[in-house]
Amino acid sequence: MPVFLRIRGYKVYFWSNESHEPIHFHIAEGDPSPNDTKVWIHKDKTFQVANNKGQIPDKNLIRIMIIMHSYVDDYIRAWESHIGQVRYIR
């Protein structure tokens, strides 16, 4: 479970065994769990919240996604390096 970035007490990460899914990232406050927030990355590098199971307040979620836009190319490279391929949901 590589942690890509820490933002204001939140961890942005992906699970190592998610090669069967299109590229996305999870956001956790505290220790990562299966019930964390999940955000898809589209081919045009826009984001779509898949779910907010982590119940991150909208204000914080928006801030995290704005910051992640600055790092999206680095994140995609990290995903590709670790997972081996990049697939998009659209």
Side-chain angles (χ1 to χ4, degrees):
M1 183 258 340
V3 174
F4 175 75
L5 197 60
R6 295 173 196 270
I7 304 170
R8 298 183 178 208
Y10 292 93
K11 294 176 185 170
V12 176
Y13 70 94
F14 58 89
W15 295 104
S16 295
N17 63 349
E18 293 187 317
S19 61
H20 62 285
E21 290 193 54
I23 190 168
H24 63 278
F25 56 91
H26 298 275
I27 305 167
E29 186 174 27
D31 292 330
S33 81
N35 292 318
D36 289 331
T37 297
K38 182 177 187 175
V39 179
W40 297 112
I41 300 174
H42 295 283
K43 194 169 192 162
D44 65 1
K45 299 178 183 172
T46 58
F47 299 150
Q48 176 185 342
V49 177
N51 70 63
N52 190 4
K53 291 180 184 177
Q55 299 179 345
I56 298 172
D58 288 343
K59 183 177 176 181
N60 293 346
L61 186 55
I62 290 167
R63 283 182 183 159
I64 292 166
M65 290 194 302
I66 288 169
I67 292 168
M68 275 300 291
H69 270 288
S70 300
Y71 293 98
V72 69
D73 290 325
D74 295 330
Y75 184 84
I76 292 169
R77 280 191 293 275
W79 174 283
E80 185 173 33
S81 174
H82 195 82
I83 300 292
Q85 67 175 353
V86 177
R87 293 184 303 115
Y88 297 91
I89 62 170
R90 65 172 165 144

